[in-house]
Amino acid sequence: AVRFGTELVDFVQDADGVTAQVRDRVTGTGYAIRSKYMIGADGGNSLVMERLGLPLVGEMGLGGSINVVFEADLTRLVEHRPGDMYWFIQAGAGHDGLGIGVLRMVRPWNRWIGVWGYDESEGTPQLSDEDGVAIAHRLIGDDTVPVKVESISIWSVNHVYATDNMKGRVFCAGDAVHRHPPMNGLGSNTSIQDSYNLAWKLALVLRGQAGPELLETYRDERVPVAEQVVERAWKSNGNIPGLFQALRLPAAPDEHSMAKAIKELEAPTPEGTERRRAFEEAVQSTLINFNAHGVETNQRYRSSAVVDGGASEPVPPRDEEVYHFASTFPGRHLPHVWLTRDQRRVPLFDLCGRGGFTLLTGPRGEVWREASDRVAEGLGVSVRVHTIGVGCDYEDSYGDYGAICAVAEDGAILVRPDHMIAWRAVEAGSDP
């Protein structure tokens, strides 16, 4: 059940469960909720994390930002150059005294989120709809455009991750344990991955199909990811000042110095050439802020819920933070490939997940079905089996699965409910 308008006040845990004290914010009534486990997915000011005393590394409040959600028809300004995000270099009281403005498209081309900065040393601003309109007009560059403000919110730039994400029967997920700049778009993705990792483990434990030791792997697998994404986002954030340095702007530029810098950037002189070269290099250095897809897709889990048999891990040919590396090595995410069945394309992902384990094998792998039946009978945990290849359940029509599976036709890949590779056998051997 979902209880709206309800606030967590405190909680205690014991050997058998967790007792949460909550308050109905409408009536003011307080009451207790008893559960076997509790997850604190309560954001960047997490009460759960604070009460648990989880250790944090880094700093909070390193820059102030304002989000303005508004409606305005900007078709004539953007339809010739469509995108989901537009960046502006403008004079302003943003982080470090520099103005970086952002327009994020919500709906083409009439609903937007405008992002602007403020100086946290001057306190948190109290903003009206009129202030929101002024920020939108500043970003748009045309105060004649009709603007309707929907909402205004304040947030801080942080550089923090927890070195532990659980204690006893209480777990923390999302921004509660990793807080970072929005660079690379890692916030929501990482939070969802935390939940995806933990949910199936809790389900198996609650059903009596796994011991509570399985829950310890949530720490082992997700804490290193939190550290990586926070450091990647912070490193990307550090690319932004280079834009201002290339423009040779003072530490806190005003409109006059900004206009002067732009004029000098356009100058048809040898000095203008040098400025343009430096500025283009600075722009290129920010591309990783948006394109580091490897951080999301190349996560490698190391825990007792992954069995690699001591095999040597393959070496990626390119920078893993930037480029996706498709691999079925245990601890990696199941790669995407298209298969076919009954003249229809089927994504490999759809064969796996949905709360269960899946075993993928080839044309000579039927022996794995009997092995999986024995596992299900002995452990009470079902394992789906799919054969892939010529004459199999699914055809490898494009040859993509054969190119990345790294197992023989009688080998097998065991996929966890969260689409992570738990184990693989290159060949069936004598006793699957």
Side-chain angles (χ1 to χ4, degrees), residues 357-361 365 368-369 372 383-387 393:
F357 287 89
T358 307
L359 200 67
L360 305 174
T361 186
W368 290 104
R369 294 191 191 274
S372 296
V383 181
R384 294 185 295 262
V385 179
H386 297 299
T387 58
D393 299 335

Side-chain angles (χ1 to χ4, degrees), residues 71-94:
E71 291 186 0
D73 186 358
L74 304 184
T75 303
R76 66 180 177 85
L77 298 174
V78 299
E79 65 178 351
H80 68 291
R81 195 178 180 186
D84 68 351
M85 182 182 292
Y86 298 83
W87 284 62
F88 307 90
I89 298 178
Q90 298 177 352

